Amino acid sequence: MEIPDVPAELMTALAAAANGRRLALVGGAVRDLLLHHHHRDPWRGLPDLDLVFEGRARELVERLPGLLPPGAHCAFREHGSFGTVAVEVGLPQAETWLLDVASARQETYPIPAENPCISLGSLDDDLARRDFSVNAIALLLDSGGGGVQLLDPHHGQTDLAARCLRFLHGNSLLDDPTRLLRAARYAARLGFELDPASRDQVAAVLQRWPWAWKLGGLPQQAPPALGTRLRMELELLLEREPWEKALQRLQHWGGLALLDPGLQCSRHWWLALQRASRWQLPLLPVLIACADDPVGLAGRLQLPHRQQRWLKSLVQLRHQAAQLTLDQRQARTPAEWTEWIERQPDPEHVVPMALACGDPLRRPLLRWWLRWRHVQPGTTARELLASGLRPGPAVGARLRELRAERLRELECR
């Protein structure tokens, strides 16, 4: 079997750099090759390959430059505790290739959903720790020049033909619930569906899911690392995938309950994200704003602090809006609404989020966002000082008065 489009000199150099140890192409590139899809890095648009080496990845990469043809360039950067190496290879008269070379490893989960314990292992161990059978296929590079050999110990080709996603073992989702979000991403991108046994596994895990569950009869809080991993998967889903299809699949499987029961029971998030996408708002905080407990969910997912502040301010705005009677809402003028809205924390960020979610007070919020916030006093602080007003708080107070007068003029039009 050959790998189309991959330069032969690159494959030969990689196989030689392995120095007799097993080196394999793994992951999405193999899956997409078998599906006759073109695999590229989604951010830079360049061809990329994931490789697993039965040895220290850095040692292989350090040997690589001397094995490339004249005129080639090679730059690399090591990252992660187990020395995964990101490599950029440029060949003469060819595209630049991105490589991720990782040492083969094995992992165990002493505590469900916690970060795994990882140690160096074999290629077989590395394939066994992957999420789905269709991602556990490898192409073994042959240093003897005979091309590549297909390794499929978990029958991923059968699942590719059936267009289904199958977890590798019975505790796969319990070990790492974020695999369900990855399933939604792949389902949306590839048009696949979970196989029946995996659907049963999803139902069993979700039945015992809440953020605090029992282990050995004692209540335990969900590991903080799990919240971080869920957030990262959500960011990938919203930024790289057809998010509408992915979230619909996740909801169909019951998986939005991993985040918040309100999201699982609602269809409101779809319209909110449609608006947010049109208005170029960050999608993740808008999705979280549709939850029953946005502040709690933002904390569990460890969103950036500024986005957590926005969501706290949004909840505060909703609470204050709920206390206004219909008569109070109808009696307020543009100047009064502007003063009320601009007293809220972070209105420049919170108001468009509230509008995307279709919150109460949509009409005054929309008018403030489109018009009222742009109204200026008609004079400047420098002009006030030139007219004889002394520097200090009085300057700001006078500017606010002049702006309020211009807002009151809108009532008469």
Side-chain angles (χ1 to χ4, degrees):
M1 182 176 183
E2 296 183 354
I3 306 176
D5 301 327
V6 180
E9 57 264 44
L10 175 59
M11 300 301 291
T12 300
L14 284 167
N19 202 26
R21 296 186 178 183
R22 291 204 296 176
L23 172 67
L25 179 64
V26 297
V30 179
R31 181 197 65 228
D32 290 351
L33 171 64
L34 294 172
L35 289 172
H36 307 290
H37 292 176
H38 201 50
H39 186 82
R40 286 180 174 266
D41 175 79
W43 293 111
R44 297 176 62 181
L46 296 174
D48 72 317
L49 302 175
D50 291 329
L51 297 129
V52 169
F53 176 54
E54 286 189 335
R56 295 287 180 181
R58 185 183 179 94
E59 295 176 6
L60 179 148
V61 172
E62 287 176 339
R63 289 190 289 266
L64 183 60
L67 298 168
L68 293 169
H73 70 82
C74 179
F76 65 88
R77 178 173 54 87
E78 187 174 12
H79 57 86
S81 58
F82 277 83
T84 298
V85 185
V87 187
E88 186 173 298
V89 177
L91 299 172
Q93 289 84 47
E95 286 187 293
T96 297
W97 283 79
L98 307 177
L99 314 176
D100 268 325
V101 185
S103 301
R105 62 196 73 177
Q106 57 186 337
E107 61 186 31
T108 56
Y109 288 83
I111 300 175
E114 185 58 274
N115 283 341
C117 296
I118 299 175
S119 59
L120 293 176
S122 67
L123 176 59
D124 298 318
D125 294 328
D126 204 275
L127 294 177
R129 73 184 183 89
R130 296 182 178 268
D131 43 18
F132 306 102
S133 62
V134 297
N135 290 335
I137 310 171
L139 291 175
L140 187 64
L141 277 63
D142 182 2
S143 59
V148 294
Q149 174 189 350
L150 185 68
L151 301 179
D152 186 12
H154 302 282
H155 311 291
Q157 292 181 94
T158 301
D159 292 330
L160 281 176
R163 305 189 70 79
C164 74
L165 298 167
R166 176 172 56 84
F167 296 121
L168 287 192
H169 57 83
N171 286 330
S172 183
L173 194 59
L174 184 63
D175 284 344
D176 186 1
T178 66
R179 286 173 172 149
L180 187 56
L181 274 71
R182 287 201 289 282
R185 289 173 49 207
Y186 295 140
R189 188 196 312 166
L190 303 172
F192 282 24
E193 181 54 90
L194 282 174
D195 81 310
S198 296
R199 288 288 300 274
D200 291 342
Q201 189 176 153
V202 170
V205 170
L206 291 176
Q207 189 173 12
R208 58 183 294 190
W209 164 244
W211 277 99
W213 66 81
K214 291 185 177 180
L215 295 173
L218 299 175
Q220 301 284 332
Q221 187 63 31
L226 175 60
T228 301
R229 296 202 309 273
L230 284 170
R231 187 200 72 237
M232 294 171 65
E233 284 295 331
L234 277 171
E235 288 171 342
L236 290 173
L237 185 154
L238 292 168
E239 293 170 5
R240 297 190 182 186
E241 311 292 356
W243 58 261
E244 181 179 352
K245 292 180 181 179
L247 290 176
Q248 285 174 343
R249 299 314 297 154
L250 193 60
Q251 187 174 47
H252 178 66
W253 300 330
L256 285 178
L258 287 173
L259 307 176
D260 182 272
L263 286 176
Q264 176 59 36
C265 298
S266 172
R267 287 288 297 163
H268 180 61
W269 55 261
W270 177 84
L271 184 57
L273 287 180
Q274 288 282 355
R275 291 170 177 153
S277 182
R278 288 198 305 270
W279 301 342
Q280 298 183 326
L281 303 179
L283 296 185
L284 184 53
V286 172
L287 175 66
I288 292 173
C290 299
D292 283 347
D293 179 14
V295 175
L297 178 55
R300 291 192 295 270
L301 294 179
Q302 299 182 44
L303 258 65
H305 290 306
R306 77 174 185 279
Q307 293 186 0
Q308 293 194 44
R309 289 198 306 270
W310 298 347
L311 288 161
K312 289 178 182 177
S313 299
L314 178 63
V315 170
Q316 178 180 318
L317 183 146
R318 288 170 173 172
H319 177 71
Q320 293 185 15
Q323 295 178 325
L324 296 175
T325 66
L326 180 60
D327 288 343
Q328 288 174 325
R329 297 179 186 185
Q330 292 177 342
R332 284 200 170 174
T333 66
E336 290 170 335
W337 275 122
T338 296
E339 181 186 4
W340 183 83
I341 292 169
E342 292 178 357
R343 281 203 311 265
Q344 307 297 322
D346 297 312
E348 295 283 340
H349 295 102
V350 172
V351 168
M353 287 175 56
L355 289 169
C357 294
D359 283 6
L361 304 184
R362 175 176 172 79
R363 188 171 182 179
L365 291 178
L366 186 60
R367 289 184 172 183
W368 177 82
W369 179 252
L370 295 178
R371 187 177 183 188
W372 298 340
R373 70 189 177 111
H374 300 295
V375 172
Q376 298 299 316
T379 189
T380 66
R382 180 177 295 179
E383 291 169 339
L384 289 177
L385 293 172
S387 70
L389 194 63
R390 297 183 62 183
V395 175
R398 182 55 182 158
L399 288 172
R400 288 191 292 273
E401 290 174 2
L402 292 171
R403 182 170 180 245
E405 288 176 7
R406 297 198 66 181
L407 283 166
R408 281 191 288 271
E409 293 173 6
L410 297 177
E411 304 167 31
C412 304
R413 297 179 184 174

